[in-house]
Amino acid sequence: MKEEGFSAKYWSDNYNDPNSMDGIGNAKDHVRYLKALLTLDNVKINSIIDFGFGKSVLLKEMITGLNPYKTVGIEPSKYIFEQIQSKPFFKNNKKKVKLYNFDLKTWCQKSQGKNERF
């Protein structure tokens, strides 16, 4: 059976020390400087989309720090998607945050309505 996206082995091999990784260990710092820059330029963030949210650390910090009206995350790896969608943060924010288990090509082919602009 073909596994969708990256396997459990990929995640354990490549994310064995996630706190040392850029965008995970320093996710709050990334959000702080991005928010400072956007505030300086008077830019309001209404929506966020994350293509390949992986362990979702940066996505969660962006949602918390920027407080967008809506957020979409797509992740092709079924293994990590199932872990992330069951986390309380995402389960409790289903109205504001939509997570999908498919790849970028599938997302691009999907019908995009006026509510799907980011």
Side-chain angles (χ1 to χ4, degrees):
M1 181 171 136
K2 180 182 176 262
E3 183 155 351
E4 295 296 318
F6 296 118
S7 68
K9 182 173 176 9
Y10 167 86
W11 294 102
S12 65
D13 288 353
N14 292 291
Y15 287 79
N16 62 359
D17 185 18
N19 288 330
S20 68
M21 298 176 75
D22 184 38
I24 294 180
N26 60 355
K28 286 182 182 180
D29 295 331
H30 280 293
V31 174
R32 254 183 284 179
Y33 72 67
L34 183 59
K35 186 174 182 176
L37 176 65
L38 295 170
T39 300
L40 183 64
D41 286 341
N42 225 6
V43 175
K44 170 112 174 71
I45 299 299
N46 295 316
S47 60
I48 294 173
I49 188 160
D50 189 341
F51 300 107
F53 57 80
K55 294 272 191 173
S56 76
V57 176
L58 187 56
L59 177 60
K60 181 181 173 189
E61 292 299 333
M62 293 289 248
I63 294 166
T64 303
L66 300 177
N67 196 28
Y69 175 73
K70 72 175 179 176
T71 300
V72 169
I74 69 167
E75 174 55 52
S77 173
K78 186 174 182 176
Y79 170 80
I80 201 72
F81 176 81
E82 288 174 352
Q83 287 184 8
I84 300 307
Q85 76 167 354
S86 67
K87 285 187 172 185
F89 178 85
F90 293 105
K91 283 177 78 171
N92 296 334
N93 284 296
K94 285 190 176 194
K95 203 169 194 181
K96 181 178 179 177
V97 181
K98 304 290 185 202
L99 301 179
Y100 299 102
N101 181 215
F102 46 70
D103 60 18
L104 183 58
K105 181 178 176 184
T106 302
W107 183 80
C108 289
Q109 291 172 337
K110 192 175 114 175
S111 174
Q112 302 297 315
K114 76 175 193 173
N115 293 331
E116 290 295 317
R117 294 183 185 162
F118 296 86

